[in-house]
Amino acid sequence: MKKSIIILFLLAHSLQAIAQETETTPGLVTDRPDATEAPTVVPVGSLQVETGAFTTSFEDNGIKEEVFTYNTTLLRYGILDNLELRIGWNFEEVKTTINGMESGDVASGLSPLLFGAKVAISEEKRWFPEIGLIGHIFLPFTASSDFKSEFTAADFRFAFNHTLSERSGIAYNVGGQLGGESAEFAYIYTLAYGYSITDKLGAYVEVYGDLPEDSSANHFWDAGLTYAIAPLIQLDATVGKSITEGQDILLSVGVSFRIDKK
């Protein structure tokens, strides 16, 4: 995790040359670090890269599972004024400790690749929110052997955004997901509040979760900071935890940047 943090910050520093943009360039709107996706699509011909690292852990009845994701990357490319294509992947490592003794079996490799799209449906007008629709499919055959799922997974969500003031706003998602380790359908939700502390520094708090049709619901919270080191480069850091059982701690850092068409 420490190596990943160093790499991310070195990458962000080296990317500052990209940031020599004009004042007419659309601002950077990312889908990280929170679970809430934005309804905004990237400009036509632009490539946006959102990458980072995170770790989670959960201990129950003497069994502790730690997940280290060294590379969680989402590529977003604008092909129309209201449409972007999306490709994403994670490189993960999962360690299990039983009664203080680390298991020799460590799962590592790529999780299933994500393929999807985002459509901008409407712009914000007074009380009417900005709205977008996002859909993904996760293909098991693209994953490493340790992370091949039994079912092809898919998800969709409607994304909404409301401006509250010049410095604050709320965003929320509603949708569903299917597949992965089971064929059970689950409803998903997110709700985030964001505040611009300065022109470069922002903060957010969020609750999110899923409600499977035949299993117990899972609810989480997180909070974090974003910092724009340049107009089209943003750093982020997050801490979170589950409200129900399932996650003792979440720690995440990342960097996002956009390369516009010349």
Side-chain angles (χ1 to χ4, degrees), residues 14-195:
S14 66
L15 289 170
Q16 290 193 48
I18 299 174
Q20 306 303 317
E21 306 291 336
T22 68
E23 294 182 359
T24 60
T25 300
L28 184 70
V29 179
T30 69
D31 283 340
R32 61 165 301 125
D34 53 7
T36 301
E37 308 272 20
T40 307
V41 299
V42 299
V44 175
S46 295
L47 174 64
Q48 188 156 306
V49 181
E50 304 180 12
T51 188
F54 71 87
T55 180
T56 67
S57 66
F58 177 63
E59 184 170 1
D60 185 40
N61 294 324
I63 300 176
K64 182 177 181 180
E65 184 177 86
E66 297 174 284
V67 179
F68 301 92
T69 302
Y70 299 107
N71 177 19
T72 173
T73 298
L74 175 66
L75 304 181
R76 304 168 55 191
Y77 184 77
I79 61 171
L80 297 173
D81 288 338
N82 65 340
L83 178 65
E84 70 175 45
L85 297 182
R86 301 156 68 87
I87 300 175
W89 63 88
N90 292 344
F91 185 86
E92 301 180 8
E93 185 176 271
V94 180
K95 297 181 180 180
T96 303
T97 303
I98 303 174
N99 295 324
M101 298 291 292
E102 186 172 312
S103 170
D105 295 328
V106 177
S108 66
L110 287 172
S111 60
L113 288 179
L114 166 160
F115 297 91
K118 179 192 292 189
V119 179
I121 297 175
S122 68
E123 297 181 354
E124 185 177 11
K125 294 180 181 179
R126 296 185 180 179
W127 57 269
F128 193 79
E130 181 183 3
I131 304 175
L133 174 61
I134 307 165
H136 302 121
I137 187 169
F138 304 80
L139 301 176
F141 65 85
T142 63
S144 302
S145 58
D146 286 337
F147 295 102
K148 286 187 184 295
S149 55
E150 185 176 355
F151 301 94
T152 297
D155 67 23
F156 75 93
R157 65 181 67 196
F158 288 94
F160 304 87
N161 184 69
H162 288 272
T163 300
L164 299 179
S165 70
E166 290 185 358
R167 289 195 173 275
S168 64
I170 60 170
Y172 50 95
N173 298 168
V174 291
Q177 58 191 18
L178 179 68
E181 297 307 318
S182 75
E184 184 179 15
F185 182 83
Y187 301 94
I188 56 178
Y189 74 91
T190 73
L191 174 62
Y193 170 79
Y195 185 81

Side-chain angles (χ1 to χ4, degrees), residues 212-256:
E213 291 183 317
D214 301 315
S215 306
S216 299
N218 303 291
H219 304 289
F220 306 85
W221 70 267
D222 61 18
L225 298 171
T226 61
Y227 186 76
I229 62 173
L232 297 181
I233 307 174
Q234 176 180 281
L235 303 177
D236 62 67
T238 297
V239 61
K241 190 179 185 298
S242 61
I243 299 171
T244 53
E245 292 187 355
Q247 189 181 90
D248 294 330
I249 189 68
L250 161 72
L251 298 173
S252 172
V253 294
V255 59
S256 302

